[in-house]
Amino acid sequence: MVPRSAARWAWLLSDGGEPRNWILVLAPLLGWHAAGWAGIGWGVFAAVFTAVLPTLILGFGERRQYWGDRHVRRRQDRIVAAPGVMASVITGTALLYGFKAPAEVTALVAAMLAVLLTLLVITFFWKVSVHSAVASGALAILSSVFGPWMLVLTPLVVLIGWSRIRLRCHTVGQVTVGVLVGAAVSAPVYTLLG
């Protein structure tokens, strides 16, 4: 990994563009779009299970030294970390459907779950960029909800991918596959369920 002092901008982009931050913004935004203030509440509820609890799980594993850091950089460690994160997201998905949350929020969480499952399957064989997958998936969903003008955010997805390469966390191929998986899986699932 590249030290923070040697790649300040890459670190800022990587930390700012990490998956939980996309979810913390996207879930309440889609909730608001679906049902106003009540929808924001549903979005926050979704974010608890898809961003907050997974972050706590990853932090717990880091403190216990089950893996090196919150980004779980080693492919083998990701397989160990996945069950806890997946359990949180699956529980959140079930609760959202059970409590009849707005379709846009439940579709978002289902799309994220589909992306996570796809990434997990790939991770058994190869490391892929979760940062890039979540960023491109979020952009695909934003474009389907708010229109193609949201594609002006494409450079942000590219910059996040660049930061992961610059920090030597991923190769160009791992970032590219992440981008493709995120968009290709999340958009159809979201459209089908939303």
Side-chain angles (χ1 to χ4, degrees):
M1 285 239 323
V2 177
R4 286 192 181 268
S5 59
R8 183 171 177 247
W9 285 106
W11 276 106
L12 287 171
L13 285 163
S14 182
D15 289 346
E18 70 180 282
R20 77 164 178 214
N21 294 338
W22 283 98
I23 296 164
L24 288 170
V25 171
L26 194 57
L29 177 64
L30 292 182
W32 167 79
H33 185 263
W37 288 106
I40 291 174
W42 283 112
V44 170
F45 183 83
V48 166
F49 287 93
T50 58
V52 176
L53 290 177
T55 298
L56 293 174
I57 290 165
L58 295 176
F60 175 80
E62 179 184 2
R63 284 189 301 281
R64 293 289 181 125
Q65 297 181 343
Y66 297 144
W67 40 81
D69 63 8
R70 72 174 196 251
H71 295 297
V72 193
R73 288 184 175 88
R74 286 177 17 109
R75 183 183 62 82
Q76 299 85 343
D77 293 343
R78 289 179 176 202
I79 295 167
V80 174
V85 172
M86 296 297 292
S88 179
V89 176
I90 290 168
T91 300
T93 305
L95 290 172
L96 288 166
Y97 276 102
F99 290 133
K100 305 215 182 314
E104 287 187 37
V105 177
T106 55
L108 169 67
V109 176
M112 289 188 299
L113 181 59
V115 170
L116 284 174
L117 288 169
T118 305
L119 294 176
L120 179 59
V121 169
I122 294 170
T123 300
F124 279 104
F125 308 100
W126 193 56
K127 185 178 173 187
V128 65
S129 174
V130 178
H131 275 68
S132 297
V134 172
S136 71
L139 180 58
I141 291 171
L142 283 169
S143 298
S144 71
V145 173
F146 296 105
W149 71 271
M150 292 301 295
L151 293 174
V152 300
L153 296 175
T154 300
L156 181 57
V157 175
V158 172
L159 286 170
I160 290 168
W162 167 83
S163 74
R164 304 303 289 158
I165 296 164
R166 172 69 177 92
L167 297 175
R168 297 190 191 122
C169 297
H170 291 288
T171 65
V172 172
Q174 292 165 345
V175 165
T176 302
V177 169
V179 167
L180 295 174
V181 166
V185 174
S186 66
V189 171
Y190 182 83
T191 303
L192 181 67
L193 301 175

